[in-house]
Amino acid sequence: MSTATAYAVSAPDAAFEKIAIERRELGPYDVLIDVKYAGICHSDIHTARNEWRGTAYPCVPGHEIAGIVAAVGSEVTRHRVGDRVGVGCLVGSCGHCDPCLAGEQQYCENGAVWTYNSPVPAEQQAGGRTLGGYATQIVVTESFVLAIPEGIGLDVAAPLLCAGITLFSPLRHWHAGPGKRVAIIGMGGLGHIGVKIAAAMGAEVTVLSHSLSKQEDGLRFGAHHYYATGDRDTFKKLRGSFDLIINTVSADLPIEDYLKLLRLDGSLVALGLPEQPYSVRASALAGLRRSLSGSMIGGIPQTQEMLDFCAEHGIGAEIEVIAADRIDEAYERVIASDVRYRFVIDAATM
Ligand code: NAP
Ligand code: ZN
């Protein structure tokens, strides 16, 4: 076992505090990583504050991890000491169900092991929950450790491990590319990377943001059009426009208004995970044979494909690097949509 420094909350309304945590002893297939940067995802906030219920405390969030390999177990072949690596939302899965065999470990039928707040598998240690990346070190099975290509800084790569793959996967699944009109609702952490990736795939990209305050940035990230959803005219103008609409918003939206923006056979994909259910009349789907679907991060092979794609296209997150003692303040700014566009914790400040 080794001891790491981490930032944890002890209750839904508690502030972050520095604590010492134990990382498991290296098994033959384990990799010990010195964390360099950890992104702050809105899911960290939902979990730290128990908005999805079921959070165990102390809770150490963080599933956008970039760092350097510090040590490897005796049987590790994929990574070597000194390699630049990343860890996303997943640190384990059964490995033998159909989704796992297809490389879609996030849909493991026997329950994926999430990077934080997941019961620790019995073979690793008895009891407890996984503790995430707001820490100086983490131990992860080699098959869940990604290689970060040279050419992307570790700081701007960290958010790709969740936000990047969460957008890349549905964009690939619904064939974003030349001739496809793609709209992204919400230009926050997920949304801004989605704009960059969708544009690099060759799609015609529209941002649907609640105001025009970030329009210049959106166009710089590669969007072709930018509309304010606070303006009712937007919904009249864009009726029947899109093949694919990706909803990254963490709050409740009038989803039928957005469904009407789809063309024939278009799909609206839910990525944001608000507390309240969607309310949709069947007629909003039946007209123009529209689909409503959802998507959860992406599997390990596709996460590597996404990192390689981002390196090739010069894509990284737009970030604001913060010291670990400013996490509480960063959370408030994310909730107020006052982030350009991802906070990343510098682990050296722990
Ligand atoms: P974020 O950085 O806070 O971005 C969310 C964006 O939604 C904001 O920037 C804002 O964009 C818009 N928004 C926020 N509040 C709004 C409101 N009241 N009305 C309208 N628009 C609002 O969050 P994130 O890290 O990108 O995460 C977004 C959501 O995705 C969270 O619910 C998170 O848990 C979920 N998530 C899902 C997955 C998955 O696998 N499905 C993975 C990661 C995260 P504008 O200012 O442009 O309107
Ligand atoms: Zn996330």
Side-chain angles (χ1 to χ4, degrees):
M1 299 241 269
S2 59
T3 304
T5 300
Y7 275 71
V9 281
S10 57
D13 53 358
F16 274 89
E17 327 173 80
K18 191 196 268 212
I19 64 167
I21 60 169
E22 296 296 337
R23 292 302 192 187
R24 69 174 183 264
E25 207 159 311
L26 280 198
Y29 297 99
D30 281 339
V31 176
L32 172 68
I33 299 165
D34 283 337
V35 178
K36 296 297 177 192
Y37 296 97
I40 294 181
C41 176
H42 208 116
S43 301
D44 301 354
I45 304 177
H46 292 304
T47 305
R49 300 190 172 180
N50 201 25
E51 289 167 3
W52 293 333
R53 319 283 175 257
T55 302
Y57 296 93
C59 170
V60 178
H63 58 205
E64 295 185 337
I65 302 164
I68 303 285
V69 175
V72 295
S74 56
E75 302 296 324
V76 169
T77 55
R78 295 184 191 205
H79 306 285
R80 284 180 307 186
V81 172
D83 282 0
R84 293 152 42 89
V85 292
V87 178
C89 304
L90 280 165
V91 290
S93 72
C94 82
H96 53 73
C97 68
D98 286 344
C100 280
L101 292 173
E104 303 257 39
Q105 295 87 350
Q106 75 279 26
Y107 303 123
C108 175
E109 290 170 0
N110 297 300
V113 184
W114 306 105
T115 305
Y116 58 80
N117 199 44
S118 219
V120 174
E123 66 273 16
Q124 286 174 2
Q125 74 190 34
R129 300 283 181 106
T130 53
L131 301 173
Y134 296 4
T136 52
Q137 291 191 314
I138 190 166
V139 174
V140 179
T141 310
E142 65 165 337
S143 50
F144 289 86
V145 177
L146 287 307
I148 297 182
E150 293 298 332
I152 322 183
L154 290 180
D155 51 356
V156 299
L160 300 177
L161 275 303
C162 171
I165 184 59
T166 299
L167 273 292
F168 185 86
S169 186
L171 287 166
R172 274 278 192 261
H173 187 81
W174 277 276
H175 309 292
K180 294 277 183 185
R181 294 190 201 158
V182 175
I184 295 182
I185 317 175
M187 202 174 76
L190 264 56
H192 90 283
I193 296 176
V195 170
K196 291 186 178 195
I197 293 176
M201 288 175 173
E204 183 178 337
V205 183
T206 299
V207 176
L208 302 173
S209 182
H210 58 285
S211 75
L212 294 179
S213 64
K214 297 179 275 190
Q215 180 171 26
E216 216 172 284
D217 289 344
L219 300 178
R220 180 163 55 84
F221 301 154
H224 304 90
H225 317 282
Y226 200 104
Y227 288 92
T229 53
D231 177 355
R232 287 309 301 172
D233 266 359
T234 293
F235 291 90
K236 285 186 207 143
K237 257 186 238 157
L238 297 180
R239 206 181 163 97
S241 292
F242 302 109
D243 299 293
L244 176 62
I245 300 178
I246 295 196
N247 179 14
T248 75
V249 175
S250 48
D252 304 312
L253 291 183
I255 216 68
E256 279 197 7
D257 291 351
Y258 290 89
L259 281 169
K260 289 176 190 156
L261 306 186
L262 290 171
R263 329 157 74 166
L264 177 63
D265 286 328
S267 298
L268 188 149
V269 179
L271 299 184
L273 304 169
E275 279 185 88
Q276 296 303 316
Y278 276 10
S279 168
V280 176
R281 273 172 297 189
S283 58
L285 296 170
L288 294 182
R289 201 161 51 197
R290 300 176 177 107
S291 301
L292 174 58
S293 190
S295 181
M296 184 72 79
I297 51 168
I300 296 297
Q302 199 174 43
T303 305
Q304 190 62 59
E305 185 193 334
M306 176 275 307
L307 288 167
D308 297 342
F309 177 93
C310 287
E312 190 188 322
H313 291 88
I315 295 173
E318 304 289 311
I319 59 168
E320 188 175 328
V321 177
I322 60 161
D325 60 4
R326 287 184 52 212
I327 299 171
D328 298 298
E329 184 192 326
Y331 274 27
E332 291 311 319
R333 286 184 52 199
V334 171
I335 290 163
S337 291
D338 175 26
V339 48
R340 302 288 184 274
Y341 282 84
R342 202 56 143 182
F343 287 110
V344 171
I345 303 162
D346 179 353
T349 62
M350 292 185 177

